[in-house]
Amino acid sequence: MTDPEKHKKEMERGRDKYNRLYKNGTTGERAMAHPETRDVARKFQVAGYDLTDKEIHHWDYNSLYDVFIMSKRLHACFHKYLEYDDTTKQFKYGGKLLTTKEEHLNAINEVIAKLPEEYKIDTTVSDVALQE
């Protein structure tokens, strides 16, 4: 690498990557968005839920163990349509606050209907709850 400008950009990119992924001892900024959920997946696995290729979606962060389990791809697609409200610890969909689990499930089904066919491979959503 002989171009000094290219070298400088590569150094900045490496520094940004280090700060983003490793500096705080976490793997990415997203990993600690909701630190209170750190042990939730483990508790579901201990209770017998298979989370292979699945993710837990909290519809309400006030109820950590009342969740939906869905594929990673569907979870990522769904979050593109959601906006998190810090004051209520719930999500908004289309500007409307989703205050019940039923409203949240209806929003999930609306998003699934909007998805292209190639994304509809695994659209199974499990509604589960554990005792806290």
Side-chain angles (χ1 to χ4, degrees):
M1 201 180 311
T2 58
D3 182 15
E5 189 62 33
K6 186 176 180 181
H7 179 70
K8 182 180 174 186
K9 286 182 181 179
E10 196 64 26
M11 292 282 291
E12 288 173 4
R13 191 185 72 76
R15 191 169 25 258
D16 289 343
K17 183 178 179 181
Y18 170 77
N19 289 332
R20 189 177 73 246
L21 299 176
Y22 308 109
K23 188 174 184 179
N24 296 324
T26 63
T27 54
E29 297 166 0
R30 207 178 117 227
M32 293 307 293
H34 298 282
E36 67 273 17
T37 65
R38 180 177 290 194
D39 297 328
V40 174
R42 186 170 348 124
K43 288 185 181 181
F44 275 92
Q45 289 171 327
V46 167
Y49 290 93
D50 180 15
L51 298 178
T52 307
D53 297 325
K54 305 265 187 234
E55 288 185 348
I56 290 176
H57 173 72
H58 294 87
W59 70 275
D60 179 355
Y61 280 95
N62 297 308
S63 304
L64 291 180
Y65 299 101
D66 191 10
V67 300
F68 294 105
I69 297 175
M70 58 183 72
S71 72
K72 291 180 180 184
R73 177 179 258 182
L74 179 59
H75 193 213
C77 288
F78 186 47
H79 268 279
K80 290 178 185 176
Y81 293 90
L82 295 177
E83 178 186 339
Y84 183 69
D85 182 10
D86 286 323
T87 57
T88 61
K89 293 187 172 185
Q90 294 174 331
F91 289 97
K92 291 181 182 179
Y93 173 71
K96 180 182 183 281
L97 187 65
L98 304 173
T99 58
T100 67
K101 201 167 189 181
E102 291 75 27
E103 289 175 347
H104 214 88
L105 187 57
N106 290 338
I108 292 171
N109 289 328
E110 283 182 32
V111 169
I112 289 171
K114 293 178 185 180
L115 294 176
E117 286 303 316
E118 62 267 17
Y119 281 81
K120 294 183 181 181
I121 294 170
D122 184 4
T123 55
T124 305
V125 178
S126 302
D127 175 358
V128 295
L130 290 179
Q131 295 296 321
E132 293 187 37

